[in-house]
Amino acid sequence: MAAIQSQAGRVEHHDGGIRVTGNWTLGHYRVLKARVAKCGPIPAETPIELGTIDVVDTAGAALLVELIGAERLTRVADWADELSPARQALLETIAETLCQPLPSKHPRPSSLAASLADLGRRTEALWRQQKMLLGFIGVVMVTLVKNLPKPHRWRITPLCAHLQQTGLEAVPIVALLTFLVGAVVAFLGATVLEEFGATIYTVNLVAYSFLREFGVLLAAILLAGRTASAFAAELGSMKANEEIDAIQALGLNPVELLVLPRVVAMMIALPILAFVGMLSGIFGGMLVCYFTLDISMLQFVTILQNDIPEHHFLVGISKAPFFAFVIAVIGCVEGFKVTGSAESVGEHTTSSVVQSIFMVILLNAVAALFFMEMGW
């Protein structure tokens, strides 16, 4: 049989058998592929001589497997003693690899199984997240207890700066929002109670709702969206810029330096904002009662003074420090979880807002059940 091409591998008939010669390499792959396709597979009983091959690589070995057969080449050491051990090993490896069956495709799981698997992954992630939050709360509380009897370690300047940021600058938005919600509650109460001729109890409805629930809850939700996100973004940017690593390299405690001023400032600011929210909400309800129900402001204040026990105010204001602590800690821990990219900063900032609002509403529901069972 004529040669395929100068220097390219050849397949020739010789003494009733086949002789394979030349270069079986990637550079001659197109020519070799055409020759192998033209010759077709060699019958298993046909003698084959491989000792005249000059050069062979993995591409040429794959074509030899196609020409001679993978099963026969896996035993090449038994019938091709003229080949060097290295070439025998190459041909055996390529043949064994091509002999292996393709991996079967895994059956697509049902939608129910996929949904349950996704639910399991989300539950596990939530459990890990809550364990990390509880651990961070423990670290913050231990650091706070250690620093309380040591006034020289208090960081007054950052505390005042964060107090202004979280408290003073948030007063207008808290007052406006609670004022509008108070007016809405009064409108709804008057609409419903008018059918029973009991519009005078709109005063009680507004007072109870804002002293016990709405005042502190609305202030906490606003701070969760406004301040927790700010804490997460600030600490996340510091983490991304390796500033927190620099603080640790200086031998300082990042929790004491960065977290405690924010937590303490939040615990001071939220009760004040909750009180402002209570006053603004009640004032909004007072204006609605004055203009729509002909209840004078003096009568409104008199009902508040005579009919509304003061323990409702204490119940509402007592929840503020706990809400503040949880919001500040979640904002800080999400900031510390940033990995170093701008995308991570945005992701954990959003996560801090969602977690803070969820935890505030959850704690408020638990507190409402507790106070109801205690008869407070």
Side-chain angles (χ1 to χ4, degrees):
M1 182 177 290
I4 297 176
Q5 205 179 52
S6 179
Q7 295 183 355
R10 297 180 295 276
V11 180
E12 302 174 347
H13 292 282
H14 177 73
D15 295 337
I18 296 294
R19 175 189 293 172
V20 181
T21 62
N23 297 334
W24 289 75
T25 58
L26 182 62
H28 303 289
Y29 186 84
R30 182 178 298 178
V31 176
L32 295 173
K33 180 70 174 176
R35 171 56 68 183
V36 168
K38 184 177 180 180
C39 293
I42 299 175
E45 65 278 1
T46 303
I48 300 176
E49 182 181 349
L50 300 178
T52 53
I53 294 178
D54 297 330
V55 182
V56 61
D57 59 10
T58 54
L63 290 175
L64 289 174
V65 171
E66 183 179 345
L67 177 67
I68 300 172
E71 183 177 355
R72 190 174 182 183
L73 275 182
T74 54
R75 297 177 284 102
V76 68
D78 298 336
W79 54 270
D81 296 336
E82 68 275 10
L83 284 178
S84 64
R87 290 187 177 178
Q88 290 179 359
L90 173 63
L91 293 175
E92 289 177 356
T93 303
I94 299 297
E96 291 174 356
T97 302
L98 296 179
C99 275
Q100 294 177 359
L102 294 175
S104 59
K105 294 184 178 180
H106 295 287
R108 185 175 181 180
S110 64
S111 57
L112 178 60
S115 300
L116 292 176
D118 183 65
L119 178 62
R121 287 191 295 268
R122 291 177 182 272
T123 303
E124 185 179 4
L126 179 62
W127 173 244
R128 290 197 303 266
Q129 179 179 325
Q130 295 307 312
K131 285 200 303 183
M132 180 181 294
L133 178 60
L134 289 175
F136 191 78
I137 288 175
V139 172
V140 172
M141 294 184 68
V142 169
T143 308
L144 181 61
V145 171
K146 286 183 178 179
N147 286 352
L148 279 179
K150 301 175 183 179
H152 64 281
R153 299 185 69 90
W154 297 355
R155 301 185 58 80
I156 303 300
T157 301
L159 175 63
C160 295
H162 293 304
L163 191 59
Q164 177 183 358
Q165 176 189 3
T166 60
L168 184 61
E169 295 179 0
V171 168
I173 184 64
V174 171
L176 177 61
L177 179 65
T178 50
F179 174 82
L180 296 176
V181 174
V184 171
V185 170
F187 271 122
L188 293 176
T191 302
V192 175
L193 295 174
E194 187 177 8
E195 299 180 3
F196 306 96
T199 54
I200 191 64
Y201 289 104
T202 303
V203 179
N204 302 66
L205 174 64
V206 172
Y208 283 137
S209 60
F210 275 89
L211 290 178
R212 293 184 67 98
E213 300 293 338
F214 285 163
V216 63
L217 186 60
L218 291 175
I221 290 176
L222 280 175
L223 285 191
R226 182 180 182 274
T227 307
S229 60
F231 288 173
E234 291 167 2
L235 296 180
S237 298
M238 295 180 68
K239 183 72 178 297
N241 295 330
E242 300 182 354
E243 297 177 27
I244 295 179
D245 296 335
I247 291 174
Q248 292 176 324
L250 292 173
L252 301 175
N253 186 355
V255 175
E256 177 185 340
L257 197 69
L258 302 174
V259 177
L260 284 188
R262 288 174 167 83
V263 172
V264 175
M266 180 75 84
M267 294 179 69
I268 296 173
L270 187 54
I272 298 174
L273 292 175
F275 180 70
V276 171
M278 293 174 186
L279 293 181
S280 299
I282 291 174
F283 182 67
M286 180 189 296
L287 291 182
V288 171
C289 291
Y290 177 76
F291 287 108
T292 62
L293 303 178
D294 294 329
I295 299 176
S296 66
M297 295 185 181
L298 179 60
Q299 185 180 4
F300 191 99
V301 174
T302 302
I303 295 174
L304 285 180
Q305 183 177 0
N306 296 333
D307 297 346
I308 309 300
E310 62 183 13
H311 76 269
H312 294 298
F313 167 75
L314 298 177
V315 166
I317 207 69
S318 65
K319 297 185 287 186
F322 298 98
F323 291 170
F325 182 82
V326 171
I327 292 170
V329 168
I330 289 176
C332 293
V333 74
E334 288 298 319
F336 280 119
K337 287 164 63 177
V338 171
T339 56
S341 62
E343 181 182 1
S344 179
V345 174
E347 177 183 347
H348 288 287
T349 300
T350 304
S351 178
S352 68
V353 176
V354 175
Q355 289 185 57
S356 299
I357 294 177
F358 173 78
M359 290 301 296
V360 164
I361 295 175
L362 178 62
L363 290 177
N364 187 69
V366 173
L369 293 175
F370 172 76
F371 289 132
M372 182 180 66
E373 291 296 327
M374 296 298 294
W376 295 347

